[in-house]
Amino acid sequence: MVVNPYNHGEQIIIPFLMKKYTLLSHQWKAATRSAAASKSLGIKLFMGFIFFILFLELLGGGFYLGSELAENSEDPVADLSRYGLYFFLAILVGRYMLQKLPTFMVTPYLNLPIKNSKLVHFILTKPLFNALNILPLSFALAITAGLHEHLDVYTFWMIVAIVIVGDLFVNYLSIYIKRVQIKHEYIFYIFLASVAAFPLADQLKILNIQAISSNVFMQVIENPLWLPAGILLFAMAYYLNFQLLSKHFSLE
């Protein structure tokens, strides 16, 4: 029997390399060593400056909103919760418009002894490290700073938990909509109509969105056992993305 030394060496070297160099380090090296990295540095610095200005404006606006509620509302937390659905709707629209789809050059890995599921999970963890994730929580924290005299420790942490879990769900929902839209263009128009329907229904008094929002979020704040429902929504959005990517994982 003839043994091919090249194949034997490949079986030893490839697992060793995959253990030594993680997918994350590969991505970092690809980004920093590419020819376009230095050319796009100026654009990234400019976008970073814009992001910083937006961050400061959200902090100031959030603190002002919290202070106004503290001064003019008999129940600031209940009044704040009336706009909870609009808050997450704004995050969804913002992510849809500004956040790029997480990408990954999978072709070099598809012929290696790496499970496709591992590559899919890696792609789906990238949105967790997007800079946009800072904005919703920072805005919420700024509001709570303005409301600090009307918040106890429990309510503060519940608001933080709701924003984090809700933002995770909205994040992956936005990614899923954008991915499906690539193949089915009509999804964009359905999304646009759905976004417009919320304020329109509220304005025409077809549905009292503010009352629904207040009821939902106050229920979660008063009973933390409802919080896992938000975690379940996030898990469902993650699973939908996982299934969609898994079906399109091939060399073609």
Side-chain angles (χ1 to χ4, degrees):
M1 180 178 65
V2 179
V3 178
N4 188 333
Y6 176 79
N7 289 341
H8 180 69
E10 187 180 43
Q11 292 175 2
I12 297 175
I13 292 173
I14 289 178
F16 171 77
L17 289 177
M18 294 313 300
K19 290 180 181 179
K20 185 174 178 63
Y21 302 106
T22 63
L23 295 173
L24 185 60
S25 68
H26 289 176
Q27 289 286 283
W28 175 256
K29 291 173 183 177
T32 55
R33 295 178 181 179
S34 65
S38 57
K39 295 179 181 179
S40 61
L41 181 60
I43 297 176
K44 291 179 179 178
L45 289 174
F46 175 75
M47 294 303 296
F49 175 75
I50 297 298
F51 179 84
F52 181 69
I53 296 298
L54 178 61
F55 174 74
L56 292 180
E57 289 182 350
L58 284 176
L59 288 182
F63 184 79
Y64 173 78
L65 177 60
S67 300
E68 286 294 305
L69 282 173
E71 292 180 6
N72 303 314
S73 175
E74 296 180 0
D75 191 349
V77 176
D79 286 340
L80 180 64
S81 66
R82 293 175 61 86
Y83 300 95
L85 289 178
Y86 284 112
F87 172 71
F88 287 109
L89 183 64
I91 296 174
L92 177 62
V93 173
R95 286 190 179 279
Y96 184 86
M97 295 176 60
L98 301 176
Q99 183 168 308
K100 295 181 179 179
L101 285 174
T103 57
F104 179 56
M105 185 62 69
V106 300
T107 305
Y109 299 95
L110 291 179
N111 287 326
L112 298 180
I114 308 175
K115 293 181 178 180
N116 287 354
S117 60
K118 182 177 181 180
L119 297 175
V120 174
H121 283 304
F122 178 76
I123 295 173
L124 292 178
T125 56
K126 295 181 73 174
L128 297 176
F129 302 96
N130 192 293
L132 291 176
N133 297 344
I134 301 173
L135 300 181
L137 183 59
S138 300
F139 182 68
L141 290 175
I143 293 176
T144 59
L147 287 173
H148 68 280
E149 295 181 357
H150 299 267
L151 293 178
D152 53 27
V153 175
Y154 167 79
T155 305
F156 168 78
W157 284 112
M158 282 303 300
I159 292 175
V160 170
I162 290 171
V163 171
I164 292 175
V165 173
D167 185 44
L168 283 172
F169 166 65
V170 169
N171 190 352
Y172 283 87
L173 177 62
S174 171
I175 293 170
Y176 181 75
I177 293 171
K178 293 184 75 170
R179 287 196 186 281
V180 174
Q181 179 196 322
I182 295 174
K183 189 174 182 180
H184 305 286
E185 187 177 348
Y186 65 87
I187 295 296
F188 168 75
Y189 300 104
I190 294 176
F191 171 73
L192 193 64
S194 300
V195 169
F198 267 81
L200 186 61
D202 208 359
Q203 186 69 25
L204 298 177
K205 298 182 179 180
I206 299 174
L207 287 175
N208 194 336
I209 301 298
Q210 293 184 30
I212 295 172
S213 177
S214 178
N215 183 54
V216 169
F217 289 104
M218 288 305 295
Q219 284 286 338
V220 178
I221 290 175
E222 294 171 0
N223 187 358
L225 294 177
W226 283 106
L227 195 60
I231 299 175
L232 180 61
L233 288 174
F234 158 60
M236 290 173 60
Y238 185 97
Y239 178 76
L240 289 173
N241 279 279
F242 180 85
Q243 290 295 314
L244 183 63
L245 286 176
S246 297
K247 290 179 181 178
H248 296 85
F249 239 67
S250 66
L251 285 173
E252 290 79 13

